[in-house]
């Protein structure tokens, strides 16, 4: 039971097509692993599992290459078996080559280091799961991003902040779980898409988790780190900025205090004695009531650098989050704009951060909405390492009860041109370090997994985790190709499954956007848990997340001319585009401008008519998702078919709640009727 749901995209389903199976078998009867390490061992284990499951044969393990077979090797062990130009390979890169000469017929997977071999192994298995031809492989792959990370928002009591797939696989009742097999399977899943770092506890570090850096718990952290290490994944911890007070017997956490500095240096040394390759600290400071350097009149560079100095001797790094804003705002005050906050705090500090600090910046200036502008901080700090943070867990995008495939959204963000160094300065080039030659850089995200048998609550939400990893490896992959790969591995190579599921996934973000908050204005959700419609849920609250709808119009004026001046934080090309009503793109109109309901969009319809239209369409399309899925009955195993069907039906129902609440709200505010006279409740 749960076999397929649990295996996610590592199904390794038996290959029924005998011709293909026979072809694959010529390379899969024996396996030679040249080199010896935990990571090589993982690669070998995975191949044996994949091959035996897909082909029903157990490859012989050989100590040297046979006439035909599979060979895994690293730079130091390949000798002159084949020619690989290692100058083209990064540390995590690999080459896969099919070599045929006379009787010889071998596939080589060669990495510069063992991690490359593991990634190459997963690549080969991906090809086999998608039934690709292996006859003439000549592949060279390097990851575009250096750090490819996940953040677990797991608490030690077993809960997960913004988790929608059960409880933590790491912790339960304030202890570590003993679910090492499950953690290993998670490591396999994420390593298979190239993830190489993980922070294993929530950025909100409460009492219990503050103790993760004390000796009793470090032993346990080291065990988990050992599991991840075998899959090339480095372990990080989120730390409490005020640890010196909480667990250090000091009365201050002032970053310029020498006792504080000393305490962290000793702490770092202690941590590294347990975990020699520990990654470093993830820090949420002076953000949403978390402690930070502001208490002592110091800035974020002071705080981050103090930790960076402690980690420096061990090559550790500090991932310092930029999610800093006033969360006790007064809704009456229209001059304070939460969107401005990160830039206002951090931009003036450019050049002051140590080289082993990375600023971790959310994709947008607000908070992972279905649509918002791209954070203007990207590219704005030439002398500072920057890392992009996405949210795979669907906090504001349907909480894994609604289908919302986020790869198309992430692609748009990565491809957004910041103009930091003129045209062609896309976000992806800022965060891969190529634009400003940064020492550290990359992409991270809040994970969407829990201990549900299918990992992600909604089985189709597995695609978000998969797609995130693939994009961190290579942001230039198209959404379509990532989607195809995922479906092939998850559901097999049935053409109609591929076509229909791909259509569903690729449309789902747009569908979700249609029936929820319109034109980039965001929120309109129930406070605290953030599920379901509540147009004024946050309107008179302290969080700085307002839409300002009145009887005449709606939207946040963030222009320089009449609003909060936020548009000026972008480089000129974008600042001009957003500042002007004429050039501001429709989908972000209400993020940047306050307009009358009768304002005409570029699409030709008025704002109010757009709201009505999209909300009716969104529900129709959510219903179509159910219809489409029903066509796949008998093409997908019963459990996953039923699970997904239930979720899609729930979504279709709940989308009506959204539609009716939003339409009625705006009809009541504006008094303007739907031109098409559809049902709006009074
Ligand atoms: C959001 C989310 C919080 C989280 C915060 C963060 O506001 O609702 O639960 O702690 O982001 O990213 O730190």
């Amino acid at each position: 039971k749960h076999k397929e749901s649990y295996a996610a995209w590592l199904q390794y389903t038996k290959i029924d097509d005998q011709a293909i199976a026979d072809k694959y078998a010529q390379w899969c009867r024996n396996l030679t692993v040249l080199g010896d390490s935990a990571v090589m061992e993982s690669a070998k284990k995975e191949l044996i599992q994949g091959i035996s499951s897909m082909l029903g044969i157990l490859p012989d393990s050989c100590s040297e290459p046979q006439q035909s077979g599979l060979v895994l090797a690293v730079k130091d062990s390949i000798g002159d078996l084949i020619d690989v130009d290692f100058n083209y390979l990064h540390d995590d890169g690999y080459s896969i080559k099919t070599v045929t000469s006379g009787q010889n017929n071998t596939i080589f997977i060669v990495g510069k280091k063992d991690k490359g071999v593991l990634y190459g192994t997963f690549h080969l298995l991906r090809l086999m799961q998608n039934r690709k031809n292996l006859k003439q492989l000549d592949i060279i792959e390097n990851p575009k991003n250096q750090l490819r990370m996940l953040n677990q928002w797991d608490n030690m009591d077993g809960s997960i902040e913004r988790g929608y797939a059960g409880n933590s696989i790491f912790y339960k009742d304030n202890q570590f779980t003993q679910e090492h097999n499950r953690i290993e399977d998670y490591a396999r899943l994420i390593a298979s898409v190239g993830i190489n770092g993980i922070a294993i506890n929530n950025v909100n570090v409460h009492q219990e988790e503050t103790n993760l850096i004390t000796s009793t718990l470090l032993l346990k952290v080291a065990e988990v780190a050992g599991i991840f290490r075998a899959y090339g994944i480095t372990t990080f911890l989120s730390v409490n900025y005020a640890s010196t007070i909480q667990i250090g017997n000091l009365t201050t956490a002032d970053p310029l205090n020498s006792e504080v500095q000393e305490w962290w240096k000793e702490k770092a040394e202690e941590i590294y004695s347990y975990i020699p390759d520990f990654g470093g600290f993830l820090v949420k400071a002076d953000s949403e009531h978390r402690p930070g350097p502001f208490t002592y009149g110091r800035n974020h560079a002071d705080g981050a650098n103090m930790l960076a100095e402690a980690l420096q001797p061990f090559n550790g790094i500090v991932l310092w989050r930029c999610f800093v804003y006033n969360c006790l705002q007064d809704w009456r005050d229209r001059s304070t704009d939460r969107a401005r906050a990160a830039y206002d705090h951090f931009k003036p500090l450019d050049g002051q951060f140590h080289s082993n600090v990375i600023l971790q910046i959310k994709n947008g200036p607000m908070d992972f909405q279905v649509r918002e502008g791209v954070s203007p901080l990207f590219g704005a700090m030439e002398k500072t390492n920057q890392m992009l943070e996405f949210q795979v867990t669907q906090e504001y995008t349907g909480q894994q009860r609604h289908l919302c495939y986020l790869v198309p959204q992430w692609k748009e963000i990565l491809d957004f041109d910041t103009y930091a160094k003129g045209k062609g300065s896309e976000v992806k080039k800022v965060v891969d370090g190529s634009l400003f030659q940064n020492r550290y850089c990359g992409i991270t995200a809040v994970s969407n997994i829990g201990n549900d048998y299918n990992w992600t609550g909604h089985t189709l939400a597995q695609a978000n985790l998969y797609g995130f990893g693939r994009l961190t490896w290579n942001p230039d992959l198209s959404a379509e190709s990532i989607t195809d790969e995922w479906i092939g591995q998850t559901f097999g190579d049935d053409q109609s499954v591929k076509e229909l599921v791909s259509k569903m996934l690729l449309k789902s973000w747009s569908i979700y956007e249609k029936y929820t908050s319109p034109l980039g204005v965001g929120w309109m959700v129930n406070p605290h848990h953030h599920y379901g419609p509540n147009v004024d849920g946050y309107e008179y609250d302290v969080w700085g997340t307002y839409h300002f709808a009145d009887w005449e119009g709606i939207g946040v004026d963030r222009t320089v001319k009449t609003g909060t001046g936020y548009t000026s934080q972008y480089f000129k090309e974008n600042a001009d585009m957003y500042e002007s009503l004429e050039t501001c793109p429709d989908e972000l109109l209400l993020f940047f401008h306050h307009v009358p309901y009768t304002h005409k969009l570029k699409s030709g319809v008025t704002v109010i008519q757009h709201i009505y239209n999209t909300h009716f369409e969104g529900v129709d399309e959510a219903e179509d998702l159910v219809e489409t899925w029903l066509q796949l009955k008998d093409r997908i195993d019963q459990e996953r078919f039923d699970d997904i069907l239930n979720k899609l039906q729930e979504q279709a129902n709940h989308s009506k709640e959204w539609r009716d609440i939003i339409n009625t709200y705006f009809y009541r505010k504006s008094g303007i009727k739907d031109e098409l006279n559809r049902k709006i409740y009074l």
Side-chain angles (χ1 to χ4, degrees), residues 153 161-162 204 284 288 321 323 362 367 395 530:
W153 281 2
E161 182 149 337
R162 310 307 176 186
N204 293 315
K284 173 174 178 176
E288 299 185 327
R321 295 178 87 230
F323 187 55
K362 288 192 183 185
D367 196 7
E395 176 176 1
H530 300 165

Side-chain angles (χ1 to χ4, degrees), residues 361-365 368 372-375 378 388-391 413:
I361 307 166
K362 288 192 183 185
N363 61 260
F368 302 132
E372 61 179 287
V374 169
S375 171
F378 292 113
L388 167 61
E389 179 180 331
F390 284 131
Q391 197 183 40
I413 293 159

Side-chain angles (χ1 to χ4, degrees), residues 286-324:
D286 287 316
S287 163
E288 299 185 327
H289 311 295
R290 305 314 301 156
F294 283 170
T295 310
Y296 312 96
R298 315 295 183 197
N299 66 30
H300 284 276
D302 297 327
N305 289 343
M306 183 271 292
L307 295 173
E309 270 164 38
L311 294 170
Q312 179 70 58
F314 312 97
N315 292 321
I317 58 181
V318 176
L319 310 165
W320 190 270
R321 295 178 87 230
C322 294
F323 187 55
V324 178

Side-chain angles (χ1 to χ4, degrees), residues 285-290 294 300 322-346 365-366 523 538 541-546:
D286 287 316
S287 163
E288 299 185 327
H289 311 295
R290 305 314 301 156
F294 283 170
H300 284 276
C322 294
F323 187 55
V324 178
Y325 67 98
N326 176 2
C327 63
L328 292 173
Q329 214 181 299
D330 185 344
W331 59 269
R332 298 167 190 84
D333 159 26
R334 280 179 81 148
S335 65
T336 306
D337 181 3
R338 169 165 163 182
R340 293 189 57 123
Y343 186 101
D344 285 343
H345 282 295
F346 285 91
M366 297 298 278
W523 275 273
Y538 277 104
D541 216 325
V542 293
W543 297 92
T545 55
Y546 315 116

Side-chain angles (χ1 to χ4, degrees), residues 510-531:
S510 143
I511 296 173
Y512 189 78
E513 182 175 21
K514 280 185 179 177
Y515 60 75
T516 58
S517 92
L519 299 167
V521 78
W523 275 273
M524 304 195 171
V525 290
N526 285 299
H528 311 301
H529 60 73
H530 300 165
Y531 187 74

